[in-house]
Amino acid sequence: MTTIAPPPPTTAAPPPLTPGGRRGLRATFVVLAVLLVSGTVIALGVASFGISRFRVVADEKTLPGDIRDLVIDTADVPAAVRLVTDRNATEPRVSMRLVNSTRSGDQTLSVDRAANRATVTVRGDAFGFTPWSRTGEITVTLPPALARNMAVTVHQETGVVLAQADLDELITHGTDGMVVLSGSARRIEVHNEDGDIVTREPISVTESFTAETTDGDVTVEFKDAAPRTIAASTSDGDIALELPGAGPYLVRTDAPGNTTVTVPRTSDPARAVAEVTARSEDGSVVVSALGDNRDRPHR
């Protein structure tokens, strides 16, 4: 007589990710993908054309020590722009590591100065067999005392901005990429066409915060006191804002999807500690207290 053993017990499925967990994973994967794109290009080049087709270009420039306004313009170079502070730094500097096709011309960092303003660009011939024949990372390292009084503007067509510094002002303009924020600033203004705007950790902004993207999510957490004005908008994406303190807040929302506001509210601008405007043309909006991820939107 043949005995048929019962099937093994079904293994329970892992618990689903919370919306906050999904957000964190998505941001992590996107940042890693951009930062590792140089390695991908090298690997593809080795497989298809041979390692001799690529070279690594490195350059570093010292920035003027009395500048108060810094502009970084990567033009059509796909790159990760990293803004950091270093308490051991004796002077501001910018460095570049660029993966380049041997068929492209030489690229170098250029620093142009006018009064207390410095503009950093990548100069050189741009021809190559593919638009991704150049990619890499540009790092701006600032002494903390200088950074706290500096306005930084980044112009970028393709790539990611990683702001990890305490600045006076940060303004970014991007066409195709992501902006990841941490640190603090008096004022932050982010304009994206195609890409998410997220915080790696809660940020401190004292005066105003503006985040605009056409195709992407805005997921931002504030600590300490909220800035006096917060404006977030997206055409195709979700918005999630986490605010500190007890409020009350003057909140205006506009979205076709779910709209959830759980922070204390007021309709009187004189009583509001901050005014918040959040608009999504094709998504959801959540404005909640810092640390409350239960109602974070997901698509």
Side-chain angles (χ1 to χ4, degrees):
M1 181 177 184
T2 303
T3 302
I4 300 176
T10 302
T11 303
L17 284 174
T18 64
R22 279 188 292 269
R23 186 287 310 265
L25 284 176
R26 180 181 180 185
T28 299
F29 289 151
V30 172
V31 172
L32 289 176
V34 175
L35 294 179
L36 293 176
V37 71
S38 299
T40 303
V41 170
I42 292 176
L44 291 175
V46 170
S48 303
F49 303 100
I51 195 169
S52 63
R53 299 283 184 174
F54 292 92
R55 60 196 173 98
V56 177
V57 177
D59 193 13
E60 183 171 278
K61 291 285 192 300
T62 299
L63 299 172
D66 60 347
I67 58 172
R68 292 295 178 265
D69 192 352
L70 177 62
V71 178
I72 310 295
D73 191 344
T74 65
D76 60 348
V77 178
V81 177
R82 188 188 299 271
L83 309 173
V84 301
T85 53
D86 182 357
R87 62 184 179 182
N88 295 319
T90 58
E91 56 188 6
R93 64 183 184 273
V94 56
S95 60
M96 175 182 70
R97 287 181 60 84
L98 196 67
V99 179
N100 206 346
S101 164
T102 56
R103 296 177 59 183
S104 295
D106 290 333
Q107 282 81 40
T108 59
L109 287 171
S110 175
V111 179
D112 297 319
R113 175 172 179 172
N116 289 331
R117 179 188 182 99
T119 301
V120 178
T121 56
V122 180
R123 288 187 176 174
D125 297 329
F127 61 86
F129 66 92
T130 171
W132 286 87
S133 59
R134 298 172 302 152
T135 186
E137 181 174 284
I138 296 172
T139 302
V140 178
T141 303
L142 303 170
L146 180 64
R148 284 191 290 269
N149 295 301
M150 182 177 290
V152 178
T153 302
V154 179
H155 295 277
Q156 191 176 51
E157 290 186 16
T158 304
V160 60
V161 176
L162 298 117
Q164 301 167 287
D166 297 330
L167 303 169
D168 176 60
E169 182 177 275
L170 174 65
I171 301 174
T172 73
H173 297 270
T175 301
D176 186 6
M178 185 179 191
V179 176
V180 183
L181 303 170
S182 58
S184 66
R186 176 182 58 85
R187 175 173 174 263
I188 293 179
E189 189 176 318
V190 180
H191 304 277
N192 262 11
E193 289 188 22
D194 185 5
D196 293 346
I197 302 167
V198 303
T199 49
R200 175 174 293 175
E201 58 191 23
I203 60 175
S204 178
V205 183
T206 57
E207 185 175 296
S208 65
F209 178 86
T210 302
E212 299 176 343
T213 182
T214 301
D215 185 5
D217 296 338
V218 179
T219 309
V220 178
E221 301 171 349
F222 297 95
K223 65 179 180 179
D224 302 327
R228 282 295 303 166
T229 59
I230 300 172
S233 64
T234 176
S235 295
D236 186 10
D238 298 322
I239 295 176
L241 304 175
E242 292 193 19
L243 309 179
Y249 296 96
L250 196 163
V251 181
R252 305 179 183 92
T253 62
D254 184 6
N258 295 328
T259 298
T260 304
V261 179
T262 58
V263 295
R265 304 179 68 172
T266 179
S267 58
D268 183 1
R271 292 188 59 238
V273 299
E275 297 189 19
V276 181
T277 303
R279 294 188 173 94
S280 173
E281 294 182 12
D282 185 20
S284 301
V285 170
V286 168
V287 182
S288 59
L290 182 63
D292 183 4
N293 294 323
R294 290 172 299 177
D295 295 315
R296 190 185 295 275
H298 60 280
R299 310 191 72 184

